């Protein structure tokens, strides 16, 4: 019972998806209103001016389509909210990231001014975890924030070349290479297992901060890990690597949601995560995975050791986690939750 139209910033694979689903869409070259911390002020001003200019054509398109509401699927794009204001339509902002805390990006307006604008321009603000809700709730009025956890549909592509495990206990870490993702803890924990003569390995999937990656490689060499740690860079899809794992490890301390955690669960793998941010909302200790305190490498190594020695426990955790995740992160559940929140906004009559 929902009809959709879409504004996209450029041509790409999403356009083909829209055509396949018979969703009318238009291209307007709007941009993000966030940039790297420390970027030049003139570039921030230029992005703001560019986005403000394209808000007027966006508003004309909105008036032509006459939707019941405008939905912006990220906090990093302002054009939908500005177009909704110009066209007099209710606006929903869906926040999935933590900006400076999460990826060292800042709003062109500055965080205080940007959040104030988001509060004024949105009748409803959706977030993808309680952690993100707690971070942003002080900036928004009343009951404007609601938590809607996203669907997780793994990309089951077969073209990824997964290296054979060769009989070794395989741990897999997926995510951008970043000091906030804390891959170093997984490397150090693996070193403890290898030092005991255990046949274990760690696959690190992702790209990111080259300086931090250099530190990780130097650490691996210093600890004598050799081929026990493999840096595989960016891959077409992480799913085949997760499926090949004995354990999925998530060390991040500022995970807004925890998609990789859910993917590990859906693959039926035990997930070991840092007791922090969105990860701690997904892993229930001893039921859907295992938790350790951020920075406690000894505890992480102990958990990996227990799981390595307990194949039956690995299977139990993986099966229980899969059942739990399949019940909560389906596309049907996500769509129903979104529509319920949209109807709540429309029934309230609130625009901004």
């Amino acid at each position: 019972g929902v009809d959709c139209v879409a504004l996209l910033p450029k041509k790409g694979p999403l356009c083909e998806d829209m055509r396949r689903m018979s969703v009318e869409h238009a291209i307007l070259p709007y941009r993000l209103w966030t940039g790297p911390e420390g970027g030049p002020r003139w570039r921030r001003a230029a992005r703001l001016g560019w986005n403000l200019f394209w808000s007027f054509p966006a508003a004309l398109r909105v008036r032509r389509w006459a939707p019941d509401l405008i939905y912006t699927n990220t906090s990093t794009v302002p054009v939908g909210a500005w177009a909704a204001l110009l066209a007099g339509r209710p606006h929903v902002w869906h926040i999935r990231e933590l900006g400076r805390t999460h990826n060292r990006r800042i709003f062109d307006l500055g965080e205080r001014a940007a959040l104030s604008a988001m509060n004024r321009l949105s009748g409803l603000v959706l977030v993808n975890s309680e952690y993100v809700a707690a971070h942003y709730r002080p900036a928004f009025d009343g009951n404007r924030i609601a938590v809607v956890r996203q669907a997780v549909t793994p990309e089951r592509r077969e073209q990824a070349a997964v290296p054979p495990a060769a009989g070794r206990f395989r741990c897999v870490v997926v995510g951008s290479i970043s000091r906030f993702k804390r891959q170093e803890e997984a490397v150090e924990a693996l070193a403890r297992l290898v030092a005991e003569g255990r046949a274990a390995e760690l696959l690190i999937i992702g790209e990111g901060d080259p300086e931090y990656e250099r530190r990780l490689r130097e650490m691996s060499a210093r600890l004598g890990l050799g081929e026990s740690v493999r840096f595989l860079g960016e891959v077409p899809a992480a799913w085949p690597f997760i499926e090949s794992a004995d354990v999925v490890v998530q060390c991040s301390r500022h995970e807004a949601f925890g998609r990789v955690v859910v993917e590990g669960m859906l693959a039926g793998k035990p997930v070991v995560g840092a007791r922090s941010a969105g990860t701690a909302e997904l892993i229930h200790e001893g039921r859907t995975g295992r938790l350790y305190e951020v920075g406690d490498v000894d505890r992480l190594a102990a958990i990996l050791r227990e799981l390595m020695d307990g194949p039956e426990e690995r299977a139990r955790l993986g099966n229980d986690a899969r059942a739990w995740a399949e019940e909560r992160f389906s596309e049907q559940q996500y769509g129903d939750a979104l529509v319920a929140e949209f109807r709540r906004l429309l029934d309230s009559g609130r625009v901004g």
Side-chain angles (χ1 to χ4, degrees), residues 64-87:
R64 174 185 152 193
W65 282 335
D68 292 299
L69 58 79
I70 312 296
Y71 171 66
T72 298
N73 202 28
T74 170
S75 64
T76 63
V77 171
V79 167
W82 291 343
L85 175 67
L86 293 169

Side-chain angles (χ1 to χ4, degrees), residues 6-81:
L7 280 176
L8 306 175
K10 60 183 178 181
K11 292 183 178 179
L14 191 55
C15 295
E16 182 56 38
D17 290 339
M18 295 291 175
R19 284 189 287 270
R20 178 171 49 81
M21 294 185 290
S22 300
V23 174
E24 184 179 354
H25 59 282
I27 306 294
L28 291 178
Y30 56 84
R31 298 175 182 170
L32 305 182
W33 69 335
T34 63
E37 195 173 37
R41 290 180 179 271
W42 67 265
R43 186 163 292 168
R44 292 161 58 183
R47 279 195 301 261
L48 283 171
W50 180 271
N51 282 322
L52 184 59
F53 172 82
W54 284 104
S55 296
F56 290 93
L60 292 175
R61 179 68 66 164
V62 167
R63 285 176 175 167
R64 174 185 152 193
W65 282 335
D68 292 299
L69 58 79
I70 312 296
Y71 171 66
T72 298
N73 202 28
T74 170
S75 64
T76 63
V77 171
V79 167

Side-chain angles (χ1 to χ4, degrees), residues 272-275 279-280 283-285 289-293 299 303:
V272 182
R275 193 189 302 274
T279 301
I283 297 178
H284 302 281
E285 173 62 32
R290 299 295 301 274
L291 290 166
Y292 74 98
E293 300 300 328
R299 181 57 184 157
I303 292 172

Side-chain angles (χ1 to χ4, degrees), residues 6 9 11 51 71 90-91 103 130 136 156 183 207 217 232 238 246 250 256 287 289 326:
K11 292 183 178 179
N51 282 322
Y71 171 66
H91 179 259
N103 54 23
E130 294 291 348
Y136 286 109
R156 294 175 168 86
Q183 286 94 343
E207 294 181 346
R217 290 179 180 273
L232 301 182
D246 292 297
Q250 174 63 277
R287 290 171 39 223
E326 286 177 344

Side-chain angles (χ1 to χ4, degrees), residues 2 18-19 45 100 107 119 126 130 147 149 221 240 247 251 264 272 303 313 322 330:
V2 178
M18 295 291 175
R19 284 189 287 270
R100 177 177 288 178
F107 289 106
N119 181 44
L126 303 179
E130 294 291 348
V147 177
R149 292 177 176 84
V247 172
C251 303
V272 182
I303 292 172
E313 178 65 3
R322 176 161 48 200
S330 68

